[in-house]
């Protein structure tokens, strides 16, 4: 009986979900190809973010090399994701890679994909089931979030030591987004590494946000600064470059000097690179450069083999990152073939 009720709720939810998508999508196809060519969708939660544009670019390149078409779709919210999936079905796509706007949409996304016989791979943000567990049957490629966060923490600690700052004068502003597991793992990693190195837990202050967004990070940090006016030097961590940049800008606006702020982002995307290129002082120290190439390229390649040869992708793939700063970013970007 209980099972039936759950089933009815799920089916009802899926129908409402699919109906919400009747408006159609806004595809940006990567060129016209011969009939019979495999088409793969690539849905991203924040198309305006440089990280996702990089992923798209590498996915396109791999498609062009291997002879399949990548269709870009925007999925900023549940309705848009649903429209995107419907649009992909109309275009004849056999599967899609997705970074969803909310990982809890996982079951609805999978159910809708199944109605069209499409395969799903999650990238960056792992889709979850009803209890927050990784969604079964959906391969995932993401970052080693905890380790990358630890690398941020280690870098912040090194900078704190290099500047001779004491724990009494210094605090960590951790811009947290704890509803998203990959974001929580990143900031937890940074906090753990700093505390393990010697920063007292009492010097860790969280500025919570509810989406990866520079504006939100800016507001949350401004509020935090108001609560802790006595802190002389700030360390900053967050889930990515945009978020850390939002915090850095909030500190600048409060009149903190660049020399009293060390922010380390994650992604190594345009937001970070533009800041590293800027002449003069800024509190944005560096970033952990991730491999957008692996994320964009490997996911579509895995999908292509899955569709074409029936080769099931590895269920869980994690990628690593390297620290970039003003001194090494040009060299590292060149080595990695970015920009
Ligand atoms: C998340 C973030 C992106 C990037 C990616 C690997 O989706 O929103 O900025 O860090 O993970």
């Amino acid at each position: 009986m209980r099972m039936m009720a759950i089933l009815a709720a799920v089916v009802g939810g899926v129908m409402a979900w699919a109906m919400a998508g009747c408006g159609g999508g806004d595809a940006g196809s990567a060129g016209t190809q011969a009939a019979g060519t495999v088409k793969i969708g690539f849905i991203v939660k924040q198309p305006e973010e440089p990280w996702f544009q990089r992923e798209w670019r590498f996915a396109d390149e791999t498609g062009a090399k291997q002879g399949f078409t990548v269709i870009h779709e925007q999925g900023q919210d549940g309705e848009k994701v649903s429209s995107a999936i419907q649009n992909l079905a109309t275009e004849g796509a056999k599967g899609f890679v997705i970074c969803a706007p909310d990982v809890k949409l996982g079951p609805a996304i999978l159910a809708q994909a199944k109605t069209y016989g499409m395969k799903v791979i999650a990238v960056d943000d792992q889709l979850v089931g009803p209890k927050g567990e990784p969604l079964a049957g959906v391969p995932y490629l993401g970052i080693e979030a905890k380790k990358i966060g630890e690398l941020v923490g280690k870098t912040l600690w090194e900078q704190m030591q290099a500047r001779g700052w004491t724990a009494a004068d210094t605090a960590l502003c951790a811009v947290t987004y704890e509803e998203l597991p990959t974001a929580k793992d990143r900031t937890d990693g940074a906090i753990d590494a700093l505390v393990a190195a010697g920063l007292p837990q009492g010097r860790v202050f969280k500025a919570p946000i509810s989406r990866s967004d520079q504006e939100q990070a800016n507001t949350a940090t401004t509020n935090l600064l108001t609560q802790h006016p006595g802190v002389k030097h700030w360390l900053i961590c967050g889930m990515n470059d945009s978020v850390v940049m939002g915090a850095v800008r909030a500190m600048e606006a409060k009149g903190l000097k660049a020399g009293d702020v060390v922010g380390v982002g994650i992604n190594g995307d345009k937001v970070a690179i533009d800041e590293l290129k800027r002449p003069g002082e800024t509190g944005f120290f560096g970033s952990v450069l991730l491999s957008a190439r692996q994320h964009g390229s490997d996911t579509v390649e895995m999908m292509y083999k899955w569709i074409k040869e029936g080769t099931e992708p590895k269920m869980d793939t994690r990628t690593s990152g390297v620290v970039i700063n003003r001194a090494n970013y040009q060299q590292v970007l060149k080595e990695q073939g970015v920009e």
Side-chain angles (χ1 to χ4, degrees), residues 45-46 51-52 99 124-125 186 212 239-240 267 290:
K45 63 178 183 181
Q46 288 172 300
W51 169 260
F52 295 106
C99 179
D124 303 337
D125 300 355
R186 296 175 201 192
S212 155
M239 68 172 288
N240 60 21
N267 280 1
L290 307 179

Side-chain angles (χ1 to χ4, degrees), residues 11 15 40 50 75 89 128 131 140 171 178 185 255 263 300 314-315:
V11 170
M15 280 177 66
I40 295 169
V128 299
K131 291 187 202 113
Y140 169 62
E178 302 201 331
D185 288 348
V300 290
K314 215 174 117 188
M315 265 302 149

Side-chain angles (χ1 to χ4, degrees), residues 156-185:
L156 290 171
W157 179 256
E158 283 166 6
Q159 287 310 306
M160 178 178 162
Q161 300 311 301
R163 288 160 162 82
W165 296 350
T166 64
D169 282 345
T170 311
L172 172 71
C173 162
V175 185
T176 55
Y177 175 12
E178 302 201 331
E179 289 71 34
L180 178 62
T182 183
K184 184 176 189 313
D185 288 348

Side-chain angles (χ1 to χ4, degrees), residues 5 10 34 40 47 55 59 89 105 119 133 141 148 155 185 228 251 254 281 290 296 298 308 315 328-329 336:
V10 168
I40 295 169
E55 281 188 338
L105 291 171
K119 301 184 191 315
E133 76 286 7
L141 184 146
I148 284 168
T155 309
D185 288 348
H228 302 284
M251 302 224 173
K254 277 270 175 187
E281 289 266 287
L290 307 179
D298 291 5
K308 199 133 201 247
M315 265 302 149
N328 74 353
Y329 79 94
Q336 306 232 345

Side-chain angles (χ1 to χ4, degrees), residues 1 23 139 148 152 163 230 248 258 262 295 299-300:
M1 189 55 212
I148 284 168
V152 169
R163 288 160 162 82
V248 168
V262 177
H295 287 229
T299 48
V300 290

